[in-house]
Structure formats: C-alpha cells, structure tokens
Amino acid sequence: MNPRIPPSLLALALAGCAGDDPNTATAGPDGLAPDWRLVDVNPNSATHEQPRGPSDYAGSVSGWYFAHAT
C-alpha cells in the first residue's frame, strides 16, 4: 500500500511554514541554535531529572518537539 498525501493538504502544510511569524525560532548569526536547558521529566530516560539542551548534542542532527497538555 502506498499512501498518498493529497496536494491540497501538502500545500496547506507548506503554507504554514512561510511568513514572518515572530514565534518561529531561527538560528543565531553563527548558524547554531540558541542554547537552553530543560529538565528531563521522562522517568524512563537515562537522563531523568537532569537538565538537557542543544549543546548536549553538539555535532549531531537533532529535532526538538515541545508538547503541551493540560
């Protein structure tokens, strides 16, 4: 089975990536992401309750996802 993404959905997703949104993070003048620290709250993680941030993964490709639940 080869799932296909409808062109209209793809266009909508790409349109959301454009613009001058002030909430969009950008790299600094050196091309690196700003460094920040958050405490790892995942009890199954090897780094549980330790501060983690982008500098911990220097030289590696990483992606960051911030979820919010109430």
Side-chain angles (χ1 to χ4, degrees):
M1 183 173 161
N2 186 5
R4 293 190 55 182
I5 299 173
S8 58
L9 182 60
L10 183 60
L12 182 61
L14 291 175
C17 296
D20 295 324
D21 183 357
N23 295 317
T24 302
T26 57
D30 56 1
L32 301 175
D35 197 24
W36 42 264
R37 314 291 288 164
L38 292 175
V39 175
D40 183 354
V41 297
N42 180 356
N44 298 318
S45 174
T47 58
H48 182 240
E49 296 183 343
Q50 296 177 20
R52 306 296 290 170
S55 61
D56 297 323
Y57 302 96
S60 300
V61 176
S62 61
W64 298 87
Y65 175 75
F66 298 94
H68 176 75
T70 55

